[in-house]
Amino acid sequence: MRAAVVRTFGGPESVEVVESELPEPGARQIRIKVAGAALNPVDLGVRAGFFGGAGKQVGLGWDVAGTVDAVGVATVWSVGDQVVALHGGVAKALGTHAEYVVVDTDAVAKAPVTVDAVHAATLPLNALTAVQALDLLELTEGQSLLVTGAAGAVGGFAVQLAAHRGVSVTGLAREGDEEFVRSLGAAGFTTTVAAGAFDAVLDAAVLAEAALEGVRDGGAYVGVRPGAHPGSVRGVRTASVAVNADGARLAELAGLVDEGALTLRVADTYALDSVSKAHARLEEGGVRGRLVLVP
């Protein structure tokens, strides 16, 4: 099979498409024939060497949607099942930017039936990050939440998920994004952070201390860059989310897609052989929705 990897860190041109042995699933694993695999900012960081791994082959890609192609023992999945999965990690030799990928069964969920595989491939990483960040905030119905980067991938899911829980959401984004952010379910919109105005902040834009200012005394702050959240001030509880693969939770999110409660956005698609062009486009910025590789 073919797979996108980096063996020398650098810019988009450092991504190589190589021939690799077809991986075989072990116990409690399945192999997926990839129909769509989203490109995310974390892939740019891996490619640039931000997470280490010098001298090794490092695979790219965390999100996958496709068809179960082979199964190991002790799995509930069958060949032919349409699935989505999160295949996390920054030091794996092969990722989801490939023609096939092997993943653990507990990371897998049935794909949403109301969208195609390209759109389904945008769900796992960003929606799981958003829902796990909301879990850390422990908000109850009627409380107020500021989501920074509300027009982005994680922020957009966070707005929709929080509003679905009955939380009063205000989205922070650029002026031109107001109509879109409100369409996701945000009750309010802002381009600046008002001091102490919210019970909690989900900081998808990584504004750090500037976003923390928006939390009332004794509130909560959660960031999306693992381990990089600001320290506690004014009794505000601070944390950051480190996304975990969770097939059961992913199944719930897929169900919300089918209910119309979650919107999936695709900006463009690229063939696997054009993966360097996809990296260059994402690096330019201003992408609304995900870029998806279609092997």
Side-chain angles (χ1 to χ4, degrees), residues 2 8 18 31 38 51 62 83 88 96 102 128 131 149-150 171 175 188 190-191 198 200 212 250 255 260 266 276 279:
R2 296 176 305 146
T8 303
V18 301
R31 185 172 68 210
F51 301 104
W62 291 47
V83 296
T96 65
V102 167
L128 281 170
V131 76
E175 286 184 10
T190 185
T191 59
F198 302 95
L212 185 60
L250 186 54
V266 174
S276 293
H279 274 250

Side-chain angles (χ1 to χ4, degrees), residues 71-155:
V71 299
V73 298
T75 174
V76 299
W77 299 101
S78 301
V79 171
D81 287 343
Q82 302 298 307
V83 296
V84 289
L86 179 66
H87 182 46
V90 293
K92 57 200 180 219
L94 293 171
T96 65
H97 295 172
E99 292 177 319
Y100 295 86
V101 63
V102 167
V103 297
D104 294 337
T105 56
D106 57 8
V108 182
K110 181 181 177 182
V113 298
T114 55
V115 297
D116 59 23
V118 171
H119 284 79
T122 69
L123 181 68
L125 175 59
N126 292 301
L128 281 170
T129 299
V131 76
Q132 290 173 12
L134 286 171
D135 290 346
L136 289 173
L137 289 171
E138 299 178 343
L139 292 171
T140 57
E141 186 174 350
Q143 286 192 288
S144 60
L145 171 68
L146 175 68
V147 176
T148 72
V154 174

Side-chain angles (χ1 to χ4, degrees), residues 190-283:
T190 185
T191 59
T192 59
V193 179
F198 302 95
D199 293 316
V201 167
L202 196 161
D203 188 18
V206 197
L207 302 182
E209 285 80 4
L212 185 60
E213 286 296 312
V215 185
R216 63 165 175 79
D217 293 359
Y221 165 103
V222 168
V224 298
R225 186 169 291 173
H229 53 277
S232 177
V233 294
R234 300 180 287 104
V236 175
R237 178 171 53 86
T238 64
S240 53
V241 62
V243 67
N244 292 308
D246 185 336
R249 207 62 187 282
L250 186 54
E252 294 174 7
L253 294 166
L256 291 176
V257 172
D258 287 336
E259 291 173 19
L262 281 184
T263 303
L264 304 179
R265 293 180 287 159
V266 174
D268 207 350
T269 59
Y270 290 81
L272 187 60
D273 287 335
S274 298
V275 61
S276 293
K277 293 180 180 179
H279 274 250
R281 176 65 190 94
L282 183 58
E283 208 159 54

